[in-house]
Amino acid sequence: MYNCRAFEVKVEGIPVVNVDSAWNVAMNKRTFIRLFSALMASPMISPLLARAAKDKLTNWAGNLEYGTDRLYSANSLEQVRSYVKKQNKLKVLGTRHCFNNIADSTDNFLSLKSMDKVVALEPEAHTVTVDAGMTYGQLCPLLDSKGFALHNLASLPHISIAGAISTATHGSGEKNGNLATAVSALEIVTAAGEVVKLSRQRDGEVFLGTVVGLGALGVITKVTLDIQPTFLIRQYVYVNMPLAEMKDHFDAIQSSAYSVSLFTDWQNQRINEVWIKSRMEEGQAFDATPEFFGAKRATKNLHPIAELSAENCTEQMGVPGPWYERLPHFRMGFTPSAGKELQTEYFVPRQHAVEAILAVERLRDRISPHLMISEIRAIAADNLWLSPCHEQPSVTIHFTWKQDWPAVKMLMPFIEKELAPFKARPHWGKLFTVPPSELHAIYKKLPDFVQLSKKYDPHGKFRNEFLSTHIFSS
Ligand SMILES: Cc1cc2nc3c(=O)[nH]c(=O)nc-3n(C[C@H](O)[C@H](O)[C@H](O)COP(=O)(O)OP(=O)(O)OC[C@H]3O[C@@H](n4cnc5c(N)ncnc54)[C@H](O)[C@@H]3O)c2cc1C
């Protein structure tokens, strides 16, 4: 299902109307850098382009070569409707940041990348409505310039809003729901090409079932998000927290600021780095003492993987900055995380957090040779049917792996076995081996979701291998 072939781009044979957009979607950072450097170094342009022409469409990490490179780029709602009506099978491609095959298709891709505008900013309703191709990186500075903010962001701003909410992408902060909890309305094109508008206020359970839709219900064309007045954040990093301090004071650590992330390589009984993002409003500010539960305040900006340059990370050292330049760990315009990597992540109920973390820590000698870094975050409960935080405050245990798929594939079942007693829920957009039967056991709303999808997509137009295996297999 997944491979580790180098990222490649194919321009020839993309049977699309809008080839420029297909090229943009297909051209990822590594290919761009490779091609650009080579072009600069050599006048031999034609052989290079000839090589690029053999390349394939892959996900961001390059670990997954998609099953087709037939990609149509829509510029309007009408184009989306007409394309959807004509196809028997298709998947919408966001910014391709999922590590598994949830976005994959062997038939057709639809990209909304060029549908990336703010549709309406409504200060009185505290909402912003955007086209579904927009990324957080595009929206946030615009929103901030008008005096508004979102409640939270993921570790990176590069991802599309529609793709992120579809997989319940999250940031950190025990009082912050995942990014999908900010959605107050959606516009969707169903398999029949009909336009459906749903809102939190009007559509109750159906709305709650639709927001984290895994790409199964239709094409999201517009998203309305809750906004709040803009705010400033100071970010501090602490290093070397003894594991025993984390164990004894987990709740105090997580509640110490608006957003808290713990990074560990599981070595030497320690949390390597604690990232604290503190809102500056009165009563919320974090008291940045030189020591924090045995950890020392860092004296320079750090990357979560201490050996890597902090150049691509958001500003730290308590320098105040706008919410959208502090809530993500990684800066827009730079490669987020490590780049050549794989990711897995599991949500455990908050009350079992310490037990679950210690269970993973016992696997340290197996895990560490293949790991770049792990991150532990807290997320508030919500009521979205397929959210891993559905009706449970959660803590996530995340793994950024070296890009060695055979090793990661072998390790995941060990981790999942340790976390099974806590009914851990895997991140929908990352790699996992949890069997479908277990997913059905831990998501009580899954049967309702299957029914809902039959309403919008009776013949499985938006289904792919991932959905058929994990959601529709019972
Ligand atoms: C470096 C890195 C860091 C990450 N950090 C985090 C993090 O901090 N927190 C976290 O939770 N996750 C994180 N992720 C995971 C990632 O953000 C999510 O998996 C997210 O879904 C990616 O969005 P995308 O647009 O790239 O999705 P894609 O991979 O393109 O698509 C994901 C799903 O959304 C569907 N979809 C996309 N657009 C639409 C649409 N318009 N209508 C209907 N369906 C649609 C697709 O069909 C697919 O099913 C990270 C990933 C990477 C690579």
Side-chain angles (χ1 to χ4, degrees):
M1 174 164 62
Y2 311 109
N3 67 44
C4 290
R5 266 183 257 173
F7 177 82
E8 314 258 339
V9 171
K10 180 170 184 174
V11 279
E12 69 171 10
I14 298 178
V16 295
V17 182
N18 191 339
V19 172
D20 278 353
S21 298
W23 170 262
N24 286 339
V25 170
M27 176 78 92
N28 95 348
K29 62 200 182 327
R30 241 170 285 147
T31 305
F32 177 79
I33 291 164
R34 197 180 66 195
L35 211 52
F36 182 74
S37 328
L39 282 169
M40 294 305 285
S42 158
M44 300 282 289
I45 293 172
S46 326
L48 268 168
L49 291 178
R51 193 180 64 175
K54 288 195 213 94
D55 294 347
K56 291 276 187 194
L57 185 60
T58 76
N59 67 344
W60 172 87
N63 65 300
L64 173 68
E65 195 175 273
Y66 291 130
T68 182
D69 49 16
R70 286 175 59 88
L71 185 148
Y72 174 79
S73 185
N75 296 313
S76 67
L77 178 62
E78 275 320 305
Q79 284 186 3
V80 171
R81 295 186 64 194
S82 129
Y83 182 74
V84 169
K85 275 190 214 165
K86 280 188 214 137
Q87 307 306 321
N88 289 327
K89 287 284 230 182
L90 74 130
K91 289 305 295 174
V92 188
L93 210 45
T95 35
R96 301 177 293 116
H97 277 61
C98 286
F99 289 85
N100 59 25
N101 60 348
I102 190 168
D104 198 11
S105 172
T106 49
D107 302 281
N108 299 288
F109 283 123
L110 171 62
S111 170
L112 274 60
K113 189 175 189 278
S114 55
M115 294 171 65
D116 62 355
K117 304 285 177 301
V118 172
V119 178
L121 178 65
E122 293 174 281
E124 274 160 32
H126 304 289
T127 60
V128 64
T129 299
V130 299
D131 286 330
M134 198 168 207
T135 64
Y136 287 98
Q138 291 171 307
L139 171 64
C140 294
L142 293 176
L143 209 48
D144 187 65
S145 71
K146 301 287 180 198
F148 295 100
L150 301 174
H151 79 294
N152 209 2
L153 290 168
S155 70
L156 76 176
H158 309 60
I159 50 179
S160 80
I161 296 169
I165 63 167
S166 296
T167 62
T169 294
H170 63 94
S172 192
E174 61 174 16
K175 296 202 176 115
N176 301 323
N178 66 44
L179 304 190
T181 61
V183 178
S184 67
L186 286 173
E187 179 185 271
I188 292 181
V189 173
T190 66
E194 279 159 13
V195 179
V196 172
K197 295 185 183 198
L198 296 168
S199 85
R200 188 197 282 146
Q201 228 173 10
R202 241 188 0 248
D203 298 292
E205 282 293 306
V206 169
F207 177 77
L208 300 177
T210 307
V211 181
V212 179
L214 312 183
L217 303 176
V219 183
I220 302 168
T221 43
K222 287 194 186 68
V223 184
T224 303
L225 298 168
D226 294 334
I227 54 173
Q228 55 182 273
T230 185
F231 54 90
L232 292 174
I233 285 203
R234 289 181 195 270
Q235 178 162 243
Y236 300 94
V237 174
Y238 284 81
V239 295
N240 293 328
M241 175 183 281
L243 197 69
E245 293 284 333
M246 183 285 299
K247 177 171 165 272
D248 293 343
H249 304 288
F250 187 78
D251 287 339
I253 293 164
Q254 284 299 343
S255 62
S256 63
Y258 189 68
S259 163
V260 176
S261 289
L262 311 179
F263 290 97
T264 180
D265 58 7
W266 307 102
Q267 292 296 291
N268 307 317
Q269 299 276 308
R270 63 168 186 167
I271 301 294
N272 305 39
E273 296 178 18
V274 181
W275 286 41
I276 290 185
K277 300 170 194 278
S278 167
R279 282 179 77 140
M280 285 179 60
E281 290 101 319
E282 216 174 309
Q284 295 209 38
F286 171 78
D287 182 13
T289 48
E291 266 205 38
F292 179 67
F293 295 103
K296 299 263 185 308
R297 205 171 60 206
T299 51
K300 58 174 187 178
N301 281 358
L302 289 175
H303 190 284
I305 304 166
E307 301 75 47
L308 297 187
S309 158
E311 191 200 12
N312 60 354
C313 296
T314 48
E315 189 67 40
Q316 302 155 31
M317 304 286 293
V319 179
W323 56 281
Y324 70 95
E325 290 182 353
R326 296 292 180 278
L327 288 172
H329 304 327
F330 302 106
R331 293 159 67 189
M332 196 67 195
F334 290 78
T335 301
S337 195
K340 199 169 161 48
E341 65 194 56
L342 299 174
Q343 294 188 9
T344 56
E345 186 167 37
Y346 302 94
F347 295 67
V348 293
R350 169 68 187 251
Q351 74 266 28
H352 301 309
V354 171
E355 239 183 308
I357 293 166
L358 296 180
V360 173
E361 199 269 338
R362 286 193 289 276
L363 295 176
R364 61 186 175 274
D365 292 341
R366 277 180 195 238
I367 289 175
S368 293
H370 307 288
L371 186 77
M372 291 194 188
I373 201 71
S374 272
E375 181 178 10
I376 296 162
R377 290 178 274 188
I379 304 123
D382 61 54
N383 50 9
L384 304 171
W385 290 0
L386 289 199
S387 163
C389 302
H390 183 244
E391 294 182 351
Q392 69 182 27
S394 302
V395 162
T396 52
I397 308 178
H398 161 94
F399 305 82
T400 300
W401 302 106
K402 294 172 191 166
Q403 208 172 62
D404 179 352
W405 171 234
V408 173
K409 190 177 170 193
M410 202 188 67
L411 267 169
M412 283 189 293
F414 288 107
I415 297 171
E416 289 165 5
K417 187 164 170 253
E418 287 301 315
L419 295 180
F422 313 112
K423 298 196 168 29
R425 296 170 177 176
H427 191 302
W428 289 117
K430 302 187 181 179
L431 299 163
F432 63 88
T433 63
V434 176
S437 55
E438 268 178 50
L439 291 176
H440 284 252
I442 53 185
Y443 279 99
K444 70 173 188 195
K445 285 291 200 178
L446 227 153
D448 297 321
F449 182 80
V450 168
Q451 283 314 310
L452 184 61
S453 76
K454 285 183 181 157
K455 184 173 152 202
Y456 293 132
D457 182 18
H459 306 296
K461 191 177 271 194
F462 300 113
R463 276 186 219 171
N464 59 5
E465 191 195 322
F466 179 95
L467 292 172
S468 298
T469 307
H470 298 289
I471 306 298
F472 296 98
S473 59
S474 69

